[in-house]
């Protein structure tokens, strides 16, 4: 019963794909992607890892080439990345503003 509940929770969070394999050790967050292990001290959430991973996989040149284009010519994945970045930035600003009133 407990196993089924956990499976439902994972499915709700990550869909029908395999759930992420991640852990924390000595201040590092580590995430396994296929046969590779990625780590950082700057990831606070799984979306932080995804943004970093996307940037590394696509490469600096590809990102710079996208930025050189007008926004309406961006690749759909780059548009998603930019929108996610903007959302994270706005969320952090909101949190910052809220913490000033405490």
């Amino acid at each position: 019963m407990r196993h089924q509940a956990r499976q439902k929770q994972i499915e709700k969070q990550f869909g029908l794909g395999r759930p992420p394999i991640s852990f924390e050790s000595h201040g590092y967050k580590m995430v396994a992607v296929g046969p590779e292990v990625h780590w950082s001290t700057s990831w606070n959430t799984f979306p932080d890892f995804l943004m970093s991973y996307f940037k590394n996989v696509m490469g600096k040149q590809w990102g710079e080439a996208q930025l050189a284009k007008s926004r309406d010519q961006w690749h759909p994945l780059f548009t998603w990345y930019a929108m996610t970045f903007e959302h994270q930035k706005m969320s952090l600003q909101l949190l910052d503003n809220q913490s000033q009133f405490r």
Side-chain angles (χ1 to χ4, degrees):
M1 224 21 140
R2 192 176 287 177
H3 177 72
Q4 287 175 332
R6 176 75 178 129
Q7 287 299 109
K8 283 284 185 199
Q9 180 185 12
I10 289 171
E11 186 177 311
K12 186 177 177 181
Q13 287 180 306
F14 303 106
L16 296 175
R18 291 186 298 183
I21 299 171
S22 63
F23 61 96
E24 199 168 335
S25 179
H26 304 288
Y28 287 87
K29 301 243 192 244
M30 301 185 189
V31 180
V33 179
E36 302 171 342
V37 177
H38 301 264
W39 62 88
S40 176
T41 57
S42 65
W43 304 328
N44 294 315
T45 63
F46 190 68
D48 291 340
F49 158 73
L50 290 175
M51 294 294 283
S52 173
Y53 182 72
F54 176 81
K55 208 163 134 179
N56 288 332
V57 166
M58 299 310 280
K60 185 177 180 177
Q61 283 184 312
W62 184 82
E64 289 173 352
Q66 293 301 306
L67 286 171
K69 299 176 184 180
S70 63
R71 193 174 183 121
D72 65 323
Q73 293 180 326
W74 284 353
H75 188 282
L77 287 175
F78 191 79
T79 301
W80 166 83
Y81 176 85
M83 290 171 62
T84 303
F85 177 81
E86 290 163 3
H87 175 75
Q88 286 180 329
K89 185 177 174 182
M90 187 175 62
S91 295
L92 288 172
Q93 287 172 343
L94 285 172
L95 284 173
D96 236 11
N97 290 341
Q98 289 175 354
S99 67
Q100 290 176 5
F101 294 108
R102 290 183 184 168

